[in-house]
Amino acid sequence: MAHVMNVEAHVVQPSDEQAKHAPFLVADQVHKVYKKGRGKEPLTVVDGASMEVGAREFVALIGPSGCGKSTLLSCLAGLTDFDEGNITLGGRSVRGPSVESAMVFQHASLLPWRSVEANISYSLELRRTHSKAEIRDKVTQVVALVGLGGFENHFPHEISGGMQQRVNLARALVVEPSLLLMDEPFGALDALTKEQLQDELSSLVGEIDRATVFVTHDIREAVYLADRVLVMSPRPGHVIHEARIDFPRTRTREMTETPEFEAIVADLRKLLRKEPHT
């Protein structure tokens, strides 16, 4: 028998911080061009966008309207084909929808004939990988996680917009994705509901413990929620700046009133205003 060296004692385990920021989602020089009808020029929306996201990192993506934020997010999800470049998730190429990622859109788009509980369970039912008992247990857990206890049997028209977005988030979390992608999920909500859901999402981040990419046009929201904020240029979009947010992971509203917070917001706003719009 060949001799096998025991190297276990020499393996250096990565620290929590190293594991958190080690690249898990990688986009490298991604290009997306929309080809229009005959006689019309193709429209380049994303032009050489590159970014990395750690396995337990929350990254916000901001930029001027029309810069390609949502298009890039859709490419990361495998929902939109891209023309050049490469996207990998956990070392595997992304060229279509994956069970490892889940998307939360701005509008909940819940099925009106299904209850809150049934809307959340729908994606698991489609996968046909879990028993009814397993689905029921997972839905129960995620309902508690997002604060929907007591509303399981309500229908979408019977709950508020904020609660519908909780269902939207729960529907993504119940499949236990490695990557959570969020496209302006609070953009259509009133200011108070938006703040409340921001606070709840901030508290959830440590519990869900996964890579998250959050697209928003709200600079303060990005700084409040993220470990890092990436800024995109005007269309055709690519990442032009990274701001690391060094506040403790447990965020509070008091943080938003500090000079440090305001300084980061001001710097990002100044950067966006400097970029010429096309």
Side-chain angles (χ1 to χ4, degrees):
M1 180 181 295
H3 175 68
V4 178
M5 182 182 295
N6 181 2
V7 297
E8 183 176 353
H10 301 287
V11 174
V12 177
Q13 297 296 331
S15 67
D16 286 347
E17 196 64 19
Q18 287 173 325
K20 177 178 179 178
H21 294 288
F24 176 67
L25 171 68
V26 178
D28 182 28
Q29 293 294 311
V30 174
H31 293 253
K32 174 61 185 175
V33 179
Y34 285 109
K35 299 173 177 63
K36 297 188 174 182
R38 184 179 299 174
K40 295 183 178 180
E41 290 292 323
L43 179 65
T44 301
V45 181
V46 179
D47 185 20
S50 297
M51 60 184 290
E52 296 181 351
V53 182
R56 304 201 322 269
E57 188 177 24
F58 192 118
V59 171
L61 196 59
I62 65 173
S65 180
C67 73
K69 300 186 297 294
S70 293
T71 298
L72 178 57
L73 195 75
S74 187
C75 291
L76 298 176
L79 300 177
T80 296
D81 292 334
F82 49 96
D83 300 283
E84 295 179 34
N86 192 36
I87 297 173
T88 59
L89 180 62
R92 293 179 291 277
S93 291
V94 174
R95 282 294 179 179
S98 167
V99 295
E100 291 194 55
S101 63
M103 179 83 97
V104 178
F105 295 97
Q106 179 175 355
H107 300 288
S109 300
L110 304 178
L111 300 175
W113 59 89
R114 292 178 73 104
S115 67
V116 164
E117 186 176 57
N119 264 285
I120 296 170
S121 68
Y122 187 57
S123 53
L124 284 176
E125 293 168 15
L126 290 177
R127 293 187 178 188
R128 299 184 178 182
T129 55
H130 297 79
S131 68
K132 288 184 178 180
E134 289 172 331
I135 291 174
R136 187 165 52 250
D137 287 346
K138 287 182 179 296
V139 171
T140 298
Q141 291 171 20
V142 81
V143 161
L145 188 65
V146 301
L148 285 169
F151 293 90
E152 295 90 339
N153 297 317
H154 286 60
F155 288 87
H157 72 275
E158 298 175 320
I159 59 178
S160 67
M163 295 188 74
Q164 288 181 25
Q165 277 302 78
R166 285 192 179 90
V167 179
N168 197 14
L169 177 58
R171 188 168 52 181
L173 292 177
V174 77
V175 298
E176 299 178 315
S178 302
L179 173 65
L180 184 63
L181 302 161
M182 309 184 76
D183 191 7
E184 299 194 40
F186 309 144
L189 302 175
D190 65 86
L192 289 178
T193 302
K194 181 176 180 177
E195 281 196 1
Q196 182 180 7
L197 289 182
Q198 287 170 354
D199 292 343
E200 292 178 6
L201 178 60
S202 178
S203 297
L204 274 175
V205 168
E207 295 185 57
I208 62 178
D209 199 32
R210 66 204 66 205
T212 304
V213 181
F214 187 99
V215 164
T216 180
H217 62 272
D218 185 334
I219 298 173
R220 297 182 70 86
E221 178 175 66
V223 176
Y224 182 62
L225 291 172
D227 298 306
R228 283 187 298 130
V229 177
L230 303 182
V231 181
M232 288 185 69
S233 69
R235 189 181 67 242
H238 57 280
V239 177
I240 59 172
H241 181 75
E242 171 191 309
R244 190 170 294 280
I245 313 301
D246 290 326
F247 294 105
R249 181 60 265 169
T250 303
R251 306 288 164 87
T252 64
R253 281 293 150 189
E254 288 74 19
M255 182 190 88
T256 66
E257 299 171 1
T258 63
E260 293 82 4
F261 182 91
E262 293 295 348
I264 297 171
V265 171
D267 287 345
L268 290 171
R269 183 174 291 117
K270 188 183 301 182
L271 177 67
L272 288 172
R273 285 176 176 168
K274 280 183 180 179
E275 283 297 311
H277 289 242
T278 57

